[in-house]
Amino acid sequence: MSAMGEGLTQILIPVAALVGIGFALFQWFLVSRVKVSSNDSSNEYKEKLIEADEEEEGIDNLEVSIKCAEIQHAISVGATSFLFTEYKYLGIFMGVFGAIIFLFLGSVRGFSTKSEPCTYNQGNTCKPALANALFSTIAFLLGALTSVLSGFLGMKIATYANARTTLEARKGVGKAFITAFRSGAVMGFLLAANGLFVLYVSINLFKLYYGDDWEGLYESITGYGLGGSSMALFGRVGGGIYTKAADVGADLVGKVERNIPEDDPRNPAVIADNVGDNVGDIAGMGSDLFGSYAESSCAALFVASISSFGIGHDFTAMSYPLIISSMGIVVCLITTLFATDLFEIKNVSEIEPSLKRQLLISTVLMTAGIAVVSFFALPSEFTLYNFGTEKEVKNWHLFFCVAIGLWAGLVIGYTTEYYTSNAYSPVQDVADSCRTGAATNVIFGLALGYKSVIIPIFAIAIAIYVSFSLAAMYGIAVAALGMLSTIATGLAIDAYGPISDNAGGIAEMAGMSHKIRERTDALDAAGNTTAAIGKGFAIGSAALVSLALFGAYVSRAGIESVDVLTPKVFIGLIVGAMLPYWFSAMTMKSVGSAALKMVEEVRRQFNTIPGLMEGRTKPDYANCVKISTDASLKEMIPPGALVMLTPLIAGTFFGVETLAGVLAGSLVSGVQVAISASNTGGAWDNAKKYIEAGASEHAKSLGPKGSDCHKAAVIGDTIGDPLKDTSGPSLNILIKLMAVESLVFAPFFAAHGGLLFKLL
C-alpha cells in the first residue's frame, strides 16, 4: 500500500482545488482595484490621474478613462452575447449526443439490468452495462458544463481586465504587465482547480453506486473527458472563425486599402476583432486545455482501474493523477508570485524573459513535486495492465514518466518560442524576405513552419518511448498529465496574450499617446509568442493524451494487436491521416468566406457613410459583430460533425480494427499539421510586428508602417491568421476527441461493430 492513507488523499485533493479557486479570486480582487469607470472620481482617483497626467503630456485623462470604459463595455457585451448564442446551440448538441451515448452503450447488453462478470477482474461481478450507459452520459454532461464554464469565466476576466491593463500602461510597462498577467492567472487557476474539483466530486458520487466495482466506475468517468473536449471543439472552431473573419476583414480594408493603423476607431470591424480575441483565444483555449486535462486524467484513471491499483482497491495510488494535478496547483501558485511580486519589470525588454522564466520555474519546482507525490502516493512496487499481460513497475518509474512529459513540454514551449519570437533569427529572416514582396514572405513562412515541427516531434517521440518502456500505457497517460501539470501557469501566460492585445486596441481607439501605444505593443508582441507557446503545449499534450486514450481503447475493445499489414487497419490508417487535411480545408474555407462578407461590409461603410474617414461620424460596429457571429455559428457545424461522426461511422460499419487505424493515422498526421500551421501563423504575425516596431537597424531598414515591405508582411500575417488561430489549434482537439469518443463507445463497437465486414 502507499505511504499516504486514503483519508489524507480525500482531504488533500479538494483542499488543493479550493486553494486554487481562492488564489484565483484573490488575483481577481487585485485586478479589480484598478478603477475604470468615470464615477470613481474620488480625490484619490484624481490624484492618481494627475500623476499619470504628467506622463500623458496633458491629455484630458478623465475623458480617456471614460472612453476606455465605453470600449471595454462594447467588447464585453459583444463577447457575452456571442457566447450565449453559441451555448444555446451547444445545449441542444449536449442533449442529443448525451442520448446517443446512452442508447449506444445501453444496447450493448440489450438494456438488461442484471449484473455481469467483470471484463478484467475475473471471478467478480460488475454492475450492468445499462448503469455504465447512464453514468457515462452524466459524466459527459458534467464535463461539457465544466468546459463551457471554464471558457466563459476566462472570457469574463479577460474583458474585465483589458481596459484596466490599458490604464495601467500610463503608469509604466511593469504595472500593465502585472495587471495582464494576474488576469491570465485568474483564468489558469480557476480552470485547473474547477477541472480537478468536479472530477474528484464526480468520482466520489459515482462511488456511492458502484461500490467496489471500480472497473465500471472509471470506465464511466471517461465520459467526463468526452464532454470537455466536444465543447472545446465547437468553442475553438466557432471562436476561431469569429475572430479571424473580423481580423482579416479589418486588416485587408483598414491597413492595406485605406492605410489607417490597426485598431483605428474609424474601422467598422475593430470591435468585432477585439471581441474575437476573447471568444477565440480565451474562451476557446480555456475549453481546449480543460479538455486535454480531463482526458489525460480519465485515460490514466481507466488504465489504473484495470491494474493492481484498481483490483486491489488502493484509492491513494488510484488517485495518483489527481494528486499530481493538486501538486501542480500549489507549484503554479508559487511560480505566479515570481512574476507578480518577486521580480519587477522595469522596461520593455524584460517582458518576454519574465514569461519564459515562468515556464522554467514551474517545471523545476514541479519536478521536485512529482518526486514527493510518487514516493508518498504510490506503493514501492505494483503491476500495470499492458495489453493483456501485467507489467511489474516501481514507484520511481512513474516519477520518470511524469517528469519526462513535463520536460518535453518545456522543450516544445522553448522551441515554439525560438521559431515564433522576433528576437531570434527565424522570424527576422521571414521579415527580411518581405523586401522582395509577399510571395517570398509566404515561401519563407511556410518553410519555417515545416522546420519547426522537427524538435517537438523528437521530444514527443522520446517521451513516448521512455514512458511506455517504464510503465506501458499508464506511463504515457501520466506523461501527458506531467505536461499539463503546470496548466495554471501555462494558461496564465497564454491568456496574457489576448488581454494585452485588447489593451493595445483600446489604447488606439481611446486616442492615447504614442508612448502608451508603444508599451501595449511590446506587451502584445510578447503575448503573441506566449500564445504560440500555449498552442505548442496544447498540441504536444494532445499527442500524448490521444496515444494514451488509443491504448485504453485498444484494451477496452479487446483488440489483440493492431497490425498495419492487415488491409482493415491500413485503410483506416490512410483515411485517418487524411482527416486533418479535410478538417483544415473546412475551417480555412469558413474563415475565407466569412472574411469576404466582412471585407464587403467594411468597404460599404467606408464608401457610403459620409465623414467616416475624417473621423466625424462613428461606424456601425454592430453590423460587423453580427456578420462574425452568424458566420461562425453556421460554419462551426460541418467541421464539428466531421470529427464527432467519424469514429461512430468507422466503428459501427468497419469495426474496431479499422477504427484503431483511423485513430493512429489522424494522430500521426494531425500533430505535424497542427504544429506547422500554428508556428507559421505566429511567425508571420511577429515578422510584421518586428517591422512595425523598428527596434533594430535591420527592422528600421524594412519599415516604416505603410512601406512595401510592411504591406508584404501584412499579407503574410493575414494568411497566417486562420492557420494559427483556427485550423492549427482546432486540430489538437480533433485527435484527442476522436480517441476519447472511441474509448467511450468501445463496448458498443466491440459488441456490434463492423457491420459491413459481417455482411461481406
Side-chain angles (χ1 to χ4, degrees):
M1 290 294 282
S2 36
M4 243 167 84
E6 178 173 344
L8 190 58
T9 311
Q10 291 278 25
I11 294 167
L12 284 180
I13 297 172
V15 164
L18 294 171
V19 165
I21 292 172
F23 184 70
L25 295 175
F26 176 62
Q27 296 291 329
W28 183 308
F29 166 70
L30 290 176
V31 172
S32 71
R33 284 166 57 187
V34 181
K35 295 288 182 253
V36 171
S37 59
S38 48
N39 53 12
D40 298 312
S41 40
S42 59
N43 285 335
E44 182 194 4
Y45 180 67
K46 284 190 176 138
E47 277 162 32
K48 272 190 194 160
L49 280 181
I50 292 161
E51 271 170 52
D53 232 351
E54 290 154 18
E55 290 195 27
E56 262 282 61
E57 292 103 38
I59 292 179
D60 178 13
N61 263 294
L62 202 57
E63 203 175 289
V64 169
S65 294
I66 293 167
K67 238 181 189 174
C68 283
E70 277 172 12
I71 298 161
Q72 178 198 21
H73 180 68
I75 294 172
S76 182
V77 168
T80 311
S81 71
F82 168 72
L83 286 180
F84 274 132
T85 318
E86 182 179 65
Y87 295 157
K88 258 190 279 186
Y89 286 91
L90 290 184
I92 299 167
F93 163 79
M94 272 160 61
V96 171
F97 204 76
I100 291 175
I101 295 175
F102 182 71
L103 293 173
F104 271 56
L105 292 181
S107 68
V108 173
R109 295 267 180 282
F111 296 99
S112 95
T113 49
K114 288 196 287 292
S115 295
E116 50 193 59
C118 296
T119 319
Y120 303 97
N121 192 356
Q122 259 82 30
N124 293 11
T125 52
C126 283
K127 299 287 184 196
L130 191 63
N132 193 2
L134 179 65
F135 281 100
S136 292
T137 309
I138 295 171
F140 165 77
L141 296 174
L142 280 172
L145 289 170
T146 314
S147 182
V148 162
L149 186 70
S150 303
F152 187 73
L153 288 174
M155 184 282 300
K156 272 297 187 206
I157 177 69
T159 51
Y160 182 76
N162 50 18
R164 287 173 165 77
T165 306
T166 312
L167 293 171
E168 286 291 272
R170 298 185 304 188
K171 298 176 191 164
V173 75
K175 289 269 198 286
F177 170 81
I178 287 176
T179 303
F181 187 82
R182 278 199 169 126
S183 332
V186 174
M187 176 180 183
F189 282 94
L190 275 182
L191 185 135
N194 273 342
L196 177 64
F197 193 67
V198 176
L199 185 56
Y200 167 80
V201 170
S202 312
I203 289 171
N204 277 308
L205 290 177
F206 283 21
K207 227 197 215 134
L208 297 176
Y209 170 78
Y210 276 103
D212 283 346
D213 171 17
W214 284 19
E215 193 180 295
L217 164 64
Y218 289 103
E219 189 178 306
S220 58
I221 282 286
T222 50
Y224 184 71
L226 175 61
S229 256
S230 52
M231 293 298 110
L233 175 74
F234 291 107
R236 245 317 182 193
V237 174
I241 293 169
Y242 184 105
T243 173
K244 291 303 116 182
D247 198 356
V248 172
D251 281 1
L252 282 181
V253 184
K255 282 198 233 168
V256 180
E257 292 179 10
R258 294 281 167 166
N259 218 353
I260 56 177
E262 188 161 7
D263 296 317
D264 190 297
R266 292 171 292 179
N267 193 331
V270 67
I271 294 281
D273 184 6
N274 280 300
V275 169
D277 290 336
N278 293 299
V279 295
D281 298 352
I282 298 250
M285 186 71 183
S287 295
D288 177 3
L289 278 174
F290 166 75
S292 277
Y293 165 76
E295 281 161 344
S296 54
S297 304
C298 292
L301 289 168
F302 174 73
V303 178
S305 72
I306 56 180
S307 305
S308 64
F309 299 162
I311 292 166
H313 290 100
D314 181 350
F315 184 77
T316 302
M318 195 60 227
S319 304
Y320 181 63
L322 300 178
I323 301 170
I324 289 178
S325 305
S326 311
M327 179 58 92
I329 290 176
V330 176
V331 163
C332 291
L333 198 151
I334 299 165
T335 311
T336 302
L337 299 176
F338 277 93
T340 54
D341 298 281
L342 298 175
F343 292 110
E344 199 182 335
I345 287 191
K346 299 279 193 299
N347 63 16
V348 168
S349 59
E350 293 170 22
I351 299 172
E352 216 165 289
S354 175
L355 292 165
K356 271 166 65 183
R357 214 168 29 229
Q358 286 284 299
L359 282 180
L360 189 61
I361 294 168
S362 61
T363 304
V364 173
L365 291 176
M366 192 63 204
T367 309
I370 296 164
V372 173
V373 169
S374 304
F375 182 71
F376 284 109
L378 294 169
S380 53
E381 276 188 44
F382 44 92
T383 60
L384 287 171
Y385 182 85
N386 180 19
F387 299 121
T389 59
E390 293 292 324
K391 186 180 173 76
E392 288 281 326
V393 183
K394 296 184 169 52
N395 57 6
W396 60 267
H397 287 174
L398 283 189
F399 162 72
F400 279 108
C401 293
V402 184
I404 196 152
L406 179 66
W407 284 89
L410 186 73
V411 169
I412 292 173
Y414 273 15
T415 310
T416 307
E417 198 240 359
Y418 173 71
Y419 279 106
T420 57
S421 161
N422 53 29
Y424 303 103
S425 60
V427 170
Q428 292 173 8
D429 291 346
V430 171
D432 193 64
S433 70
C434 294
R435 289 176 193 279
T436 44
T440 41
N441 180 23
V442 170
I443 294 167
F444 270 70
L446 288 172
L448 176 144
Y450 298 147
K451 200 171 160 192
S452 70
V453 173
I454 301 167
I455 298 172
I457 291 297
F458 276 118
I460 292 170
I462 293 166
I464 288 170
Y465 184 78
V466 172
S467 52
F468 189 83
S469 309
L470 289 173
M473 269 322 190
Y474 188 70
I476 292 176
V478 291
L481 256 180
M483 200 179 275
L484 290 165
S485 59
T486 52
I487 183 172
T489 294
L491 256 172
I493 65 172
D494 189 57
Y496 155 87
I499 292 171
S500 27
D501 188 355
N502 259 218
I506 292 174
E508 181 75 51
M509 284 186 271
M512 289 182 155
S513 68
H514 182 61
K515 200 159 72 179
I516 307 270
R517 182 68 213 204
E518 269 180 3
R519 285 174 192 162
T520 54
D521 273 353
L523 291 171
D524 183 17
N528 254 348
T529 306
T530 58
I533 292 174
K535 286 172 195 136
F537 264 93
I539 295 163
S541 62
L544 291 175
V545 169
S546 60
L547 187 60
L549 291 165
F550 175 67
Y553 158 75
V554 170
S555 309
R556 186 63 191 87
I559 303 171
E560 293 299 315
S561 68
V562 180
D563 181 3
V564 182
L565 292 175
T566 54
K568 272 186 193 176
V569 175
F570 193 81
I571 58 169
L573 199 64
I574 199 161
V575 170
M578 172 275 295
L579 288 173
Y581 293 91
W582 189 0
F583 180 82
S584 299
M586 285 177 163
T587 50
M588 297 281 287
K589 196 157 182 287
S590 301
V591 171
S593 58
L596 198 69
K597 290 186 190 123
M598 188 63 82
V599 167
E600 283 167 358
E601 172 60 22
V602 175
R603 276 185 189 150
R604 181 194 70 75
Q605 292 200 24
F606 273 127
N607 293 334
T608 58
I609 299 178
L612 181 56
M613 266 310 273
E614 295 75 38
R616 288 199 310 271
T617 44
K618 269 190 171 177
D620 178 2
Y621 297 127
N623 222 357
C624 289
V625 171
K626 187 177 182 309
I627 288 176
S628 259
T629 305
D630 294 350
S632 58
L633 293 173
K634 192 173 104 232
E635 302 279 1
M636 74 181 182
I637 296 165
L642 174 72
V643 179
M644 298 303 290
L645 295 176
T646 301
L648 291 178
I649 292 168
T652 308
F653 293 108
F654 299 94
V656 284
E657 288 168 338
T658 306
L659 178 54
V662 170
L663 295 179
S666 68
L667 165 61
V668 169
S669 90
V671 174
Q672 332 286 338
V673 180
I675 295 177
S676 63
S678 66
N679 288 353
T680 296
W684 273 327
D685 195 345
N686 273 346
K688 174 202 73 175
K689 287 211 163 56
Y690 174 74
I691 295 174
E692 287 177 352
S696 65
E697 285 308 311
H698 175 235
K700 281 191 184 115
S701 70
L702 299 168
K705 283 188 184 181
S707 67
D708 286 347
C709 278
H710 179 246
K711 280 188 173 154
V714 169
I715 290 173
D717 172 37
T718 311
I719 299 170
D721 272 337
L723 283 171
K724 79 173 174 13
D725 289 324
T726 314
S727 297
S730 311
L731 277 172
N732 62 60
I733 306 178
L734 168 130
I735 53 184
K736 293 181 309 201
L737 185 54
M738 284 181 21
V740 74
E741 191 182 335
S742 306
L743 172 60
V744 170
F745 285 99
F748 174 80
F749 297 147
H752 306 300
L755 295 178
L756 278 182
F757 292 129
K758 282 177 186 165
L759 294 174
L760 296 173

